[in-house]
Amino acid sequence: MDAAQGTAKKDVTVPTLGARGMLRWGWTQLTSMRTALMLLLLLAVAAVPGSIFPQRVQDAFAVATYIEDNPQLGPILDFFQFFDVYSSVWFSAIYLLLFISLIGCIIPRARKHYHQIVSPPPRTPRRLQRLPEYGAMEMAAGGPTPEQALADAEKVLKRRRYRVEVRRNDDGTGSVGAEKGYLREVGNIIFHVSLVGVLVFVALDAMFSYRGQKVLIEDEGFVNALVAYDNFYPGSWFDEEDLEPFSIRLDSFERTFDRQLFGGEPNPNYGQALDFVASLTVQDSPEDEPRQAELRVNEPLNLGGANVYLPGNGYAPVVTVRDGEGEVAFSGPVITRPDDGVYTSMMVIKAPDASPEQLGFVGLFLPTAHDTGEGLAVSIDPELGNPELHLNSYYGDLGLDDGIPQNVYVLDTEDLTELNSRESEAGGIVLAEGETQELPDGMGSIEFEGVQDYIALDIAYNPGTTWILVFSLTATAGLITSLFLRRRRAWVTVETIPGVAGTGSEEPAPGPDAKGSEHGRTLVRYGLLARGEDFRLRDENIALRTQFEKIWPVRPPEENNES
């Protein structure tokens, strides 16, 4: 016997799946809901490095600085595309696998649900008493016939939004099968379809969108061309020809600050910004007529399909720098960077064309300067009450001829020679509007001519935003539907009994009626079943019985008087 068993074991061979079987197995695993959820979680985890490390598409200079400051870790992260997370091979692979997995989940479920909708309700169980909710009603004398009871039950169930099917017997009795809650699965399918729609249009939006920044000084114009942007971040499939040729010119800029006084009481919000309004002249295309428009914070202007936002503003002092030979090395407005609520602003001036040495200036612009008495001045109000420049000056090689990108708001003074500062013998440069100061050693002069306003524009073109919103709303609606609707089944049976006597229970017992009638009575039974948990199934039972008792003369149960 043992030898026979050993022989049998040796003869058993495990069948091989083969290439087709492996592909089918892999497809089954990929299109399972568990895999889709795991991929969704993995996508969220994969997006985390994009918020930790600088991204090249947003700030290439920051990426270069990070790699330079981290010579060992930086190149490794760059090799694994941690500075290009959202366009990396591994992030795109997760994204595409999630997309395929969702589609593979949706199609079979939609097909199966369609067959359920077009199929009749399930057959009537033989014993409704075994269902979670059950009831029975005996009609009193003069009650409806079985045919009429079936018709009435059909109407009641239809009014309660059931899909019904009447199953009649030859003797007039029969049953009604009913089911509702199909929208629950429809909502589930809509949710997953909408999720696919969101993924599709997020991808399209990332490929065809663009975002750029531009600083506009008062009376300056801007045309929507690639070379006109200060910073520009295109999508992976962006084409320069897709830019709509609209134009913008800043006519004026108005700031409104809180100036309310409370008698003798101080106003803690005094001087805080209330509103910013940029008056613009815009032209939607070269063929259109220029028109006036206003741009406010959180109220973007739509031009050529792109939204134009107002994220910032400030002052641009007009400065003229002359070199040691008396030639104008720099002249024009200088963009400053506000650091506080009273517009104390950092200011950097670079004059690489100065001769015999390049000149650089760094310091502060104070809209309303106030001398503290300690050799320092501060701004006490954001409006132009007493504008002053407080600068240090340097000469030497500014590094602009090396071809290495520099931050225009930063002056690297490590390799420069100081001319003016508060600590030097020449002292710092302090200029009121209209004043000029000579630089030491005959290196030139600087003149403060006036102040202009500037605004920072953020221009974003996102072609998929509207559809992302639409699919997000439909996904929310589908999710709510699938969470709050319940799939329920109901059956009503109608039969005739020769006569019954009340027993005080819901289940009528056979026997002669109180009047000894020879005619049979109509007995209605009904049962309810939910697919999944349904804590309101009992309420549905009560609602159905209430509706039945309104249209039928139901015989009440009799008390049992046995002693």
Side-chain angles (χ1 to χ4, degrees):
M1 190 68 176
D2 294 339
Q5 288 180 353
T7 303
K9 288 181 179 179
K10 291 180 181 179
D11 294 337
V12 173
T13 57
V14 179
T16 57
L17 288 176
R20 184 175 181 181
M22 287 296 296
L23 289 174
R24 182 178 298 174
W25 177 84
W27 176 255
T28 303
Q29 297 300 314
L30 178 61
T31 56
S32 67
M33 187 56 64
R34 180 177 60 183
T35 303
L37 292 175
M38 290 179 61
L39 287 171
L40 189 61
L41 177 62
L42 188 59
L43 188 70
V45 174
V48 172
S51 61
I52 297 177
F53 302 104
Q55 298 299 294
R56 190 169 277 109
V57 70
Q58 295 177 346
D59 194 342
F61 181 76
V63 173
T65 303
Y66 185 93
I67 296 176
E68 183 179 350
D69 295 340
N70 300 271
Q72 295 181 347
L73 181 62
I76 297 175
L77 294 176
D78 194 22
F79 177 78
F80 288 104
Q81 299 179 298
F82 275 75
F83 301 119
D84 302 279
V85 168
Y86 305 111
S87 59
S88 64
V89 174
W90 45 273
F91 189 87
S92 301
I94 299 172
Y95 198 92
L96 290 175
L97 285 175
L98 176 60
F99 182 77
I100 296 171
S101 179
L102 285 173
I103 293 178
C105 291
I106 291 169
I107 294 176
R109 293 183 67 173
R111 187 185 298 117
K112 181 179 178 181
H113 187 58
Y114 172 76
H115 290 311
Q116 290 178 348
I117 291 176
V118 298
S119 301
R123 64 183 182 85
T124 306
R126 290 187 178 182
R127 297 193 179 187
L128 297 179
Q129 302 94 311
R130 295 183 177 180
L131 297 179
E133 293 294 333
Y134 167 75
M137 294 174 289
E138 178 194 349
M139 302 298 105
T145 62
E147 295 86 347
Q148 184 62 39
L150 282 174
D152 292 341
E154 180 186 10
K155 292 178 181 178
V156 169
L157 291 170
K158 282 184 175 180
R159 282 201 299 268
R160 297 197 63 78
R161 299 184 299 278
Y162 282 89
R163 187 171 64 90
V164 302
E165 181 184 55
V166 180
R167 297 139 184 178
R168 291 184 174 85
N169 300 325
D170 295 337
D171 58 356
T173 61
S175 65
V176 180
E179 190 170 11
K180 73 174 180 179
Y182 291 100
L183 285 179
R184 175 185 173 88
E185 184 62 22
V186 171
N188 202 354
I189 293 173
I190 289 176
F191 169 75
H192 287 89
V193 171
S194 300
L195 189 58
V196 172
V198 170
L199 292 176
V200 169
F201 281 98
V202 165
L204 292 176
D205 194 74
M207 289 188 290
F208 294 101
S209 65
Y210 67 83
R211 182 172 62 89
Q213 287 83 39
K214 175 64 180 178
V215 173
L216 270 187
I217 301 173
E218 195 172 357
D219 297 326
E220 183 184 7
F222 163 76
V223 177
N224 189 34
L226 194 59
V227 295
Y229 282 91
D230 297 328
N231 297 296
F232 192 81
Y233 311 108
S236 55
W237 287 10
F238 168 79
D239 189 343
E240 185 178 353
E241 296 181 357
D242 295 335
L243 291 174
E244 294 291 335
F246 61 83
S247 62
I248 303 173
R249 184 168 64 87
L250 176 61
D251 298 327
S252 63
F253 185 73
E254 181 180 354
R255 304 174 181 87
T256 303
F257 300 98
D258 188 352
R259 299 302 186 188
Q260 187 175 2
L261 299 176
F262 301 135
E265 297 294 328
N267 178 6
N269 299 320
Y270 186 85
Q272 289 191 2
L274 299 179
D275 193 18
F276 300 116
V277 182
S279 298
L280 308 174
T281 298
V282 299
Q283 196 170 358
D284 296 281
S285 69
E287 295 78 19
D288 294 331
E289 291 294 326
R291 58 185 176 89
Q292 302 300 311
E294 288 188 346
L295 181 62
R296 285 184 164 88
V297 179
N298 298 327
E299 296 181 14
L301 189 64
N302 188 276
L303 294 173
N307 285 328
V308 182
Y309 298 90
L310 178 63
N313 65 87
Y315 294 108
V318 180
V319 175
T320 297
V321 176
R322 288 180 171 82
D323 59 18
E325 299 178 357
E327 300 294 330
V328 175
F330 175 88
S331 182
V334 180
I335 305 298
T336 62
R337 188 180 61 192
D339 288 337
D340 55 27
V342 291
Y343 280 69
T344 302
S345 304
M346 289 294 299
M347 180 176 180
V348 171
I349 306 172
K350 299 178 183 181
D353 296 330
S355 181
E357 296 285 349
Q358 295 180 344
L359 298 175
F361 303 83
V362 60
L364 297 176
F365 168 71
L366 306 178
T368 303
H370 174 71
D371 191 352
T372 61
E374 300 178 357
L376 295 174
V378 297
S379 179
I380 59 174
D381 195 88
E383 291 192 305
L384 296 174
N386 180 32
E388 284 185 353
L389 299 182
H390 292 251
L391 303 172
N392 296 341
S393 64
Y394 302 85
Y395 74 89
D397 185 6
L398 299 179
L400 297 176
D401 299 330
D402 299 334
I404 301 175
Q406 288 190 10
N407 191 334
V408 296
Y409 300 108
V410 176
L411 178 65
D412 186 1
T413 61
E414 185 176 355
D415 297 328
L416 300 179
T417 303
E418 182 179 271
L419 287 172
N420 293 92
S421 72
R422 287 194 304 132
E423 288 78 18
S424 68
E425 182 179 352
I429 297 174
V430 179
L431 289 176
E433 191 171 356
E435 294 182 346
T436 303
Q437 181 166 333
E438 298 292 330
L439 301 179
D441 303 329
M443 298 300 293
S445 65
I446 180 170
E447 179 183 1
F448 179 20
E449 298 181 7
V451 181
Q452 290 182 295
D453 292 309
Y454 79 82
I455 60 174
L457 298 180
D458 196 340
I459 303 172
Y461 175 70
N462 302 104
T465 302
T466 301
W467 285 106
I468 292 173
L469 175 62
V470 170
F471 280 112
S472 298
L473 293 176
T474 55
T476 303
L479 183 61
I480 292 174
T481 302
S482 64
L483 289 177
F484 289 96
L485 287 184
R486 293 292 181 267
R487 187 84 172 267
R488 294 171 182 168
R489 291 172 176 173
W491 294 274
V492 178
T493 62
V494 178
E495 55 188 275
T496 302
I497 56 176
V500 296
T503 62
S505 66
E506 285 235 354
E507 185 64 31
D513 62 10
K515 297 183 180 181
S517 172
E518 297 178 357
H519 303 287
R521 296 184 184 277
T522 301
L523 176 64
V524 176
R525 305 174 191 266
Y526 64 93
L528 294 167
L529 178 65
R531 296 188 63 179
E533 294 184 359
D534 188 353
F535 301 105
R536 295 180 294 176
L537 193 61
R538 180 62 181 172
D539 297 333
E540 183 70 10
N541 184 348
I542 296 172
L544 275 178
R545 189 175 187 91
T546 301
Q547 293 293 322
F548 290 149
E549 290 180 347
K550 285 182 179 180
I551 60 176
W552 293 332
V554 178
R555 181 177 180 182
E558 298 179 4
E559 295 183 3
N560 190 350
N561 296 324
E562 295 180 3
S563 58

